[in-house]
Amino acid sequence: MTAPFVGPDGEPRCTWSAAAPEFVAYHDTEWGFPGDMLHTVLRRRAAGDSVEQIQPDLIIPTGKRKGQNHSVASIYRALAEYEKAQAYPEAVEAAHTDYAALTAGELPAPRTAGTTEPAR
């Protein structure tokens, strides 16, 4: 096993990141992070990037559109769904509970208006 590359900031990195200066930035910001689109978008938005700046770097890993970029609209849609889930955690939990009941072959109980608890 080879010794890690120590960058200009004194931090150890994988040896391949020494091949070019831009590889150090890639190593620190992209490589080794979970690959789902939402995680990448949230991380890059927190760093100050706009959706339009992030979009060209997102590649669809599998399926019919493998190798293509996500559309800006799909990125905004994922962000909106994430924000909705953060705003209404009890509704998300109720949906997960109902889904679990349905997959177990049960029929979830109806809910009363304005509550996530099943009606009694």
Side-chain angles (χ1 to χ4, degrees):
M1 186 167 158
T2 60
F5 160 68
V6 178
D9 57 0
E11 292 295 319
R13 294 177 178 83
C14 298
T15 54
W16 60 261
S17 65
E22 61 270 14
F23 287 3
V24 173
Y26 175 79
H27 181 278
D28 293 349
T29 60
E30 297 294 326
W31 187 80
F33 287 94
D36 72 323
M37 177 187 71
L38 183 59
H39 182 272
T40 301
V41 171
L42 291 173
R43 185 170 39 81
R44 299 251 327 250
R45 291 278 300 218
D49 292 343
S50 70
V51 169
E52 289 75 14
Q53 291 171 313
I54 299 167
Q55 186 262 343
D57 298 334
L58 297 174
I59 306 296
I60 298 172
T62 61
K64 184 177 175 183
R65 295 191 56 219
K66 180 179 179 177
Q68 298 178 18
N69 298 93
H70 293 275
S71 69
V72 172
S74 68
I75 297 169
Y76 277 117
R77 191 168 36 255
L79 286 171
E81 290 172 5
Y82 173 78
E83 292 297 326
K84 192 185 305 181
Q86 297 302 305
Y88 304 103
E90 62 282 343
V92 172
E93 181 60 35
H96 287 287
T97 303
D98 289 351
Y99 178 76
L102 287 169
T103 57
E106 303 167 7
L107 187 60
R111 301 185 192 286
T112 58
T115 182
T116 58
E117 294 298 316
R120 306 265 181 233

